[in-house]
Amino acid sequence: MKKEATRALKEQLRKRVLAMRMGLDRDQVKVSGQAILEKVLGLEAYRRAKLVHTYVSSKENEVDTRALIGACLAHGRRVAVPVVMPGTKTLAHALIDGLDQLVVGPWGLAQPDPAAATWLPAEARIDLVVVPGLAFDRRGHRIGWGGGYYDRFLAQVQAVKIGLCYDELVLDCIPGEPHDVPVDMVVAETTIHQGDFA
C-alpha cells in the first residue's frame, strides 16, 4: 500500500475510533480503566520495573494512568512522564513524585512545567513505557494523534512497551507505516494481547 493511501486510511480510522471512544459510557470507562490497571499491576514487566515512563491521561475517555502513577510511586518506582516542548517535534521527559507537579501544557495535556521540571537523565534506563493510543490492534500497532512524537521516542528506547486500550477499541488490523513502532503488548480489560511480540 502506498504511503499516501496508508496515511489516508489511518486518518479515516483515527476519526472513527475517536468517535467510538467519545461515545463510550463514562461509568463503564471507569470500571474498564480499573480492570486495565489491575492487569498492568499484575504484569511481570511491571513487577520488575524500577523506572516507568507513562503518559498522563488528559483526554476525555482516555484510559486513566493517574491511578497507575500513584501505584508506581507507592510501590517505590520512579516515574517519568512526557513533556511536549513547543517548537520541537520530540518529547522531553521529566521525573515526577506526585500528580500535584502537573500543569496544563500544549493541546491540553497534563505535564510538568518545563521551567521547573526535573529532567530524566539521558543515561537513565527506562524499564517500562506505557504508550497512549486511540486504538491498538492485536499485533501492537496503534492509532495515535498523528504527530509522530511517540514513534520517535519509542524508536530510541529499549524497554517493554505496553498500550492500554478498551476491548471495544482493540482492532483486528491497523495499517502500519515504516516509522511506526509497535508495542509489545496491548492490555485491555478482559485480555492481554501479545501478538508476535511476546
Side-chain angles (χ1 to χ4, degrees):
M1 189 180 289
K2 290 186 177 178
K3 190 187 335 184
E4 295 80 9
T6 301
R7 196 159 290 164
L9 184 55
K10 286 179 79 171
E11 188 55 40
Q12 290 173 358
L13 263 178
R14 183 175 290 113
K15 289 176 182 173
R16 182 163 63 87
V17 297
L18 179 58
M20 287 172 64
R21 192 172 85 175
M22 295 299 287
L24 294 175
D25 177 77
R26 298 277 179 88
D27 291 334
Q28 186 56 47
V29 161
K30 288 182 182 176
V31 171
S32 297
Q34 182 61 37
I36 290 169
L37 171 64
E38 289 171 8
K39 279 196 164 40
V40 172
L41 297 181
L43 292 173
E44 183 68 21
Y46 172 78
R47 291 197 296 267
R48 291 185 176 186
K50 295 178 181 173
L51 173 55
V52 175
H53 186 291
T54 180
Y55 70 93
V56 182
S57 49
S58 308
K59 303 286 189 181
E60 189 173 347
N61 282 358
E62 189 170 36
V63 176
D64 176 57
T65 58
R66 292 170 185 255
L68 173 61
I69 290 168
C72 287
L73 294 171
H75 295 154
R77 289 162 176 77
R78 293 197 299 159
V79 175
V81 298
V83 181
V84 176
M85 304 295 284
T88 73
K89 289 285 189 178
T90 58
L91 295 174
H93 312 281
L95 292 165
I96 62 168
D97 53 26
L99 294 170
D100 57 347
Q101 293 177 260
L102 303 175
V103 298
V104 178
W107 308 307
L109 298 174
Q111 64 180 37
D113 181 349
T118 301
W119 299 111
L120 183 68
E123 69 276 8
R125 183 186 166 205
I126 299 170
D127 301 301
L128 180 66
V129 180
V130 181
V131 183
L134 290 168
F136 291 82
D137 70 15
R138 291 170 177 82
R139 304 170 305 145
H141 291 270
R142 70 188 183 97
I143 292 282
W145 291 96
Y149 285 85
Y150 258 86
D151 287 314
R152 285 186 283 274
F153 165 50
L154 295 176
Q156 299 171 0
V157 64
Q158 299 298 315
V160 176
K161 304 165 182 70
I162 65 171
L164 310 184
C165 191
Y166 305 115
D167 284 333
E168 297 96 321
L169 296 175
V170 178
L171 308 180
D172 288 330
C173 183
I174 292 172
E177 297 180 81
H179 65 268
D180 291 341
V181 178
V183 296
D184 298 300
M185 62 184 81
V186 179
V187 181
E189 58 263 44
T190 62
T191 311
I192 297 174
H193 303 275
Q194 297 195 346
D196 301 327
F197 307 100

